[in-house]
């Protein structure tokens, strides 16, 4: 074991290998699994804050950052902490999250309709919804939007995605990273919707060459979910803009995005994704090689003279 560890440290690269990225993903899932048994269900806001901070900082961000420091020569490059290739992509990531949030919210509703929550699990989640609706808004946003956006992105779109891109298959790396990201959420319903969101965030990080647009997208997405849950029927009726965006949901007192708003914002989001697609981005050596092989395979075979 000692020889193997010395070999890893001595022969480390600027970014993690595919094996190290897979190891990080599996390690985070194992930690997440055992934390369900070791961390009790919070009974108050203070316990909930401590639980979230322990999960995010100690059990997600810290293992990934330590692996980046120990197993790679360039932790900043591994975690994609540099500035994006185009600064315009920072506000664009926020706007993209706003445009896609209604569609993502409807996807989550559809998943819950097909796979309803177990009643006992729903009762366990009720205090969390109550905390998000009653505690000071800045505290809720800091805990549910800002903290996960930083910690989870360092682990998944930072360490894991950097390593998996060495496979040469960019989309394969994005999807596999998103699967790890989704599974880390525990519940099936959350895992499926988180996986879909993770694909978009991974694509944003790859195309911009930086973790920060992904952090802003993640932060905005979670923040909008918090704000949506804070809209009461009384506030909804008093604000014309909210009447355009939200309508009565399937459950009594619940509000969901209106279909026209979802379609309009979704089309804007697709246009932004198309703009993002046309941006040049830095490919890994394996991705350049795979792209060359794909182009060569697409050429028509020459007939013998």
């Amino acid at each position: 074991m000692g020889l193997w560890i010395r070999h890893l440290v001595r022969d480390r690269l600027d970014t993690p290998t595919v094996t190290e990225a897979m190891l990080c993903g599996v390690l985070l899932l194992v930690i997440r699994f055992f934390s369900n048994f070791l961390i009790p269900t919070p009974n108050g806001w203070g316990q909930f804050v401590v639980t979230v901070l322990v999960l995010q900082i100690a059990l997600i961000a810290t293992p990934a950052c330590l692996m980046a420091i120990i197993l790679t020569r360039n932790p900043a490059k591994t975690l994609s902490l540099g500035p994006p290739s185009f600064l315009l992509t920072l506000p664009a990531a926020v706007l993209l999250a706003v445009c896609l949030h209604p569609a993502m919210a409807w996807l989550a509703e559809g998943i819950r309709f097909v796979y309803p929550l177990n009643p006992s699990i729903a009762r366990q989640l009720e205090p969390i919804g109550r905390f998000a609706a009653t505690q000071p808004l800045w505290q809720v946003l800091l805990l549910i939007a800002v903290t996960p956006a930083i910690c989870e992105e360092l682990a998944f779109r930072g360490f894991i995605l950097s390593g998996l891109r060495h496979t040469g298959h960019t989309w394969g790396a994005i999807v596999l990273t998103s699967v790890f990201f989704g599974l880390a959420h525990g519940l099936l319903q959350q895992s499926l919707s988180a996986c879909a969101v993770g694909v978009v965030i991974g694509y944003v990080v790859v195309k911009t060459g930086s973790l920060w647009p992904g952090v802003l997208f993640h932060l905005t997405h979670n923040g909008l979910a918090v704000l949506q849950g804070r809209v009461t029927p009384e506030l909804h009726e008093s604000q014309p803009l909210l009447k355009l965006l939200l309508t009565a949901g399937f459950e009594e007192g619940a509000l969901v995005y209106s279909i026209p708003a979802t379609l309009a914002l979704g089309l804007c989001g697709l246009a932004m994704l198309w703009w993002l697609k046309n941006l040049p981005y830095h490919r890994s050596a394996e991705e350049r090689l795979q792209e060359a092989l794909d182009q060569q395979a697409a050429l028509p075979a020459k007939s013998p003279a």
Side-chain angles (χ1 to χ4, degrees), residues 14 31 63 67 115 131 138 176 181 191 209 239-240 273 296 299:
D14 284 347
I31 292 173
M67 292 183 74
Y115 301 105
F131 296 152
W138 71 270
L176 185 53
F181 177 63
S191 296
Q239 299 294 329
L273 287 173
Q296 185 176 6
L299 294 176

Side-chain angles (χ1 to χ4, degrees), residues 12-27:
R12 56 187 175 170
L13 304 174
D14 284 347
T15 55
T17 64
V18 175
T19 302
E20 291 166 349
M22 292 292 294
L23 176 62
C24 181
V26 173
L27 177 63

Side-chain angles (χ1 to χ4, degrees), residues 211-294:
L211 193 71
W212 301 115
V215 169
L216 289 176
F217 185 104
H218 195 155
L219 187 157
T220 304
H221 177 82
N222 286 11
L224 288 173
V226 171
L227 293 176
Q228 182 185 357
R230 307 273 293 208
V231 177
T232 62
E234 295 76 18
L235 180 62
H236 176 255
E237 289 298 323
S238 64
Q239 299 294 329
L241 180 60
L242 291 178
K243 284 186 176 182
L244 290 175
L245 289 175
L246 302 172
T247 186
F250 304 110
E251 300 177 1
E252 184 178 355
L255 294 171
V256 297
Y257 285 101
S258 65
I259 298 299
T262 302
L263 292 176
L265 290 172
L267 289 175
C268 293
L270 291 176
M272 294 190 65
L273 287 173
W274 181 258
W275 170 76
L276 199 63
K277 175 182 180 294
N278 294 316
L279 291 179
Y281 71 99
H282 177 73
R283 296 164 174 82
S284 68
E286 295 83 359
E287 288 171 336
R288 291 195 298 270
L289 175 60
Q290 186 63 45
E291 189 174 279
L293 292 174
D294 293 340

Side-chain angles (χ1 to χ4, degrees), residues 6-177:
R6 284 196 292 272
H7 162 71
L8 288 178
V9 174
R10 184 183 65 247
D11 299 330
R12 56 187 175 170
L13 304 174
D14 284 347
T15 55
T17 64
V18 175
T19 302
E20 291 166 349
M22 292 292 294
L23 176 62
C24 181
V26 173
L27 177 63
L28 292 179
L29 293 183
V30 171
I31 292 173
R32 183 71 176 84
F33 175 78
F34 284 105
S35 69
N36 292 330
F37 303 100
L38 298 176
I39 300 178
T41 303
N43 295 321
W45 173 246
Q47 290 186 8
F48 180 65
V49 170
V50 173
T51 299
V52 172
L53 292 179
V54 168
L55 285 173
Q56 293 293 328
I57 298 175
L59 304 185
I60 293 179
T62 299
C65 291
L66 287 177
M67 292 183 74
I69 294 170
I70 296 172
L71 300 179
T72 69
R73 294 183 183 277
N74 194 337
K77 183 178 180 181
T78 292
L79 301 176
S80 301
L81 296 180
S85 51
F86 299 94
L87 291 179
L88 185 60
T89 56
L90 291 171
V94 175
L95 185 58
L96 180 63
V98 172
C99 292
L100 294 183
H101 190 266
M104 294 296 182
W106 273 109
L107 175 63
E109 288 289 332
I111 291 172
R112 284 194 292 269
F113 178 78
V114 176
Y115 301 105
L117 277 174
N118 184 287
S120 63
I121 295 178
R123 285 194 296 271
Q124 293 177 12
L125 295 177
E126 283 179 3
I128 298 176
R130 188 165 58 251
F131 296 152
T134 58
Q135 297 301 316
L137 180 59
W138 71 270
Q139 294 183 16
V140 177
L141 289 174
L142 187 62
L143 190 68
I144 296 180
V146 178
T147 303
I150 296 174
C151 295
E152 291 176 357
E153 292 311 310
L154 284 172
F156 294 99
R157 258 66 61 174
F159 190 92
I160 295 176
L161 182 57
S162 294
L164 291 180
R165 290 184 67 183
H166 288 300
T167 61
H169 299 279
T170 308
W171 274 110
I174 291 173
V175 171
L176 185 53
T177 301

